Amino acid sequence: MFGKNRRAKFAAFGALIALGFIVFQGVTDAHNPEISATSVCIPVDTARITVTVHSWTTDLSDDHRTKDDVVVTIAGQTFHGAFNAANNFGFTITLDVPADGTTYTAVASTTGPWGVNKDIEVAPASRQTTVTVPEECPSETTTTTTTTTTRPTTTTTTPTTTTPTTTTTIPTTTAPPTTVAVSVQGVVETAPSTTVIGTAVEGVVLARTGTDARPLVVAGIVLVFLGAAVELSARRRRNA
C-alpha cells in the first residue's frame, strides 16, 4: 500500500514540476517578429516590393517588444532592422525587381535576448510571407503634336516707276508641342503570412500574442511549490 502511495506522490510531484516549466517556456517563446509584403508596378517593366516588419503584440511592457537586430531576407538579399520606441517597434524595406510574375518569399528572424538591456532571454523565432509581382508593367507612352502656320509672301510692282521690290514675310508661328502621357500601374496584394519556427512551413500559424503572461508565471511558481510540498510531506511520513 505504501509503495503505491509513494509512486502516486512521485508522479504528482513530477507532473507539477513539468507543468511549471511549460508555463515558463511559453512566456519566453512568445517574442517574435511579424512580416507582410506588397508589390506595385513602376515603369519600365519593374515591380517595387515593400516589406513591413513589426514586433509582436503583447500586454507586457515595451521592453518585451524591443530588439536591437532583426534580419530580413528576400530575393537573395539580406537586410537588418530593429524594434524600438523611436520607430514604433517596426520598419519597412523596399527593393525593385523585374516585373515577370515571380513569387518571392520574405523571412524576418530574431536570435538572442530581447529588451533595452538585452536581459530577456528567448528562443530564436522567425516569420515569413510571400509576394507575387506583376507579370508585366507597361512603360509610359508619349504623343507629341506640332502645329506650324506659314503666311504667303506679298510682292508689289509699279509699271512706270521702278521701285525696289518689297517683300513682307510674316514669321512662322509654331504652337508649343502638346504631350499626352499614359501611365498604367497595378497593385498585387500579398499572400498570407506564414509562421516558421526553425524551418519554413507553408500556412499561417502565428505565435501566442496579445496576452498577459504574468498570471501564467505565477501559476507555474505555485505548481512548483505544490509539488515540492507533496514530496516533503511524503518524506516526513516515511521518517515518522
Side-chain angles (χ1 to χ4, degrees), residues 172-183:
T172 299
T173 302
T174 303
T178 301
T179 301
V180 179
V182 178
S183 176

Side-chain angles (χ1 to χ4, degrees), residues 73-136:
T73 57
I74 183 173
Q77 302 183 49
T78 301
F79 304 88
H80 292 267
F83 300 146
N84 51 57
N87 63 11
N88 198 26
F89 305 99
F91 59 90
T92 60
I93 294 169
T94 60
L95 71 157
D96 296 342
V97 297
D100 55 7
T102 300
T103 298
Y104 294 90
T105 299
V107 180
S109 58
T110 58
T111 58
W114 288 53
V116 176
N117 299 318
K118 300 180 182 180
D119 54 357
I120 303 175
E121 293 291 341
V122 298
S126 65
R127 296 290 184 272
Q128 75 173 28
T129 189
T130 58
V131 57
T132 302
V133 301
E135 292 186 359
E136 61 179 350

Side-chain angles (χ1 to χ4, degrees), residues 25-142:
Q25 185 66 26
V27 173
T28 60
D29 283 347
H31 300 70
N32 63 268
E34 295 183 354
I35 186 171
S36 61
T38 60
S39 69
V40 296
C41 279
I42 58 171
V44 176
D45 296 328
T46 303
R48 175 163 294 170
I49 298 176
T50 301
V51 180
T52 302
V53 187
H54 59 89
S55 184
W56 68 306
T57 302
T58 177
D59 293 332
L60 299 176
S61 67
D62 288 347
D63 200 41
H64 285 266
R65 303 188 68 198
T66 302
K67 187 73 179 76
D68 63 333
D69 185 30
V70 181
V71 180
V72 178
T73 57
I74 183 173
Q77 302 183 49
T78 301
F79 304 88
H80 292 267
F83 300 146
N84 51 57
N87 63 11
N88 198 26
F89 305 99
F91 59 90
T92 60
I93 294 169
T94 60
L95 71 157
D96 296 342
V97 297
D100 55 7
T102 300
T103 298
Y104 294 90
T105 299
V107 180
S109 58
T110 58
T111 58
W114 288 53
V116 176
N117 299 318
K118 300 180 182 180
D119 54 357
I120 303 175
E121 293 291 341
V122 298
S126 65
R127 296 290 184 272
Q128 75 173 28
T129 189
T130 58
V131 57
T132 302
V133 301
E135 292 186 359
E136 61 179 350
C137 290
S139 59
E140 290 185 346
T141 58
T142 302

Side-chain angles (χ1 to χ4, degrees), residues 2 5 9 230-240:
F2 176 75
N5 289 336
K9 290 176 181 178
V230 170
E231 177 60 19
L232 290 175
S233 176
R235 289 185 179 181
R236 291 195 188 96
R237 292 182 179 180
R238 289 197 300 271
N239 295 333

Side-chain angles (χ1 to χ4, degrees), residues 165-237:
T165 301
T166 302
T167 302
T168 303
T169 303
I170 297 177
T172 299
T173 302
T174 303
T178 301
T179 301
V180 179
V182 178
S183 176
V184 179
Q185 292 189 334
V187 177
V188 179
E189 299 296 334
T190 61
S193 278
T194 305
T195 299
V196 175
I197 302 299
T199 59
V201 179
E202 293 296 332
V204 178
V205 181
L206 296 179
R208 298 177 293 275
T209 61
T211 58
D212 190 348
R214 286 172 290 186
L216 296 178
V217 174
V218 174
I221 295 174
V222 171
L223 291 174
V224 171
F225 276 106
L226 284 176
V230 170
E231 177 60 19
L232 290 175
S233 176
R235 289 185 179 181
R236 291 195 188 96
R237 292 182 179 180

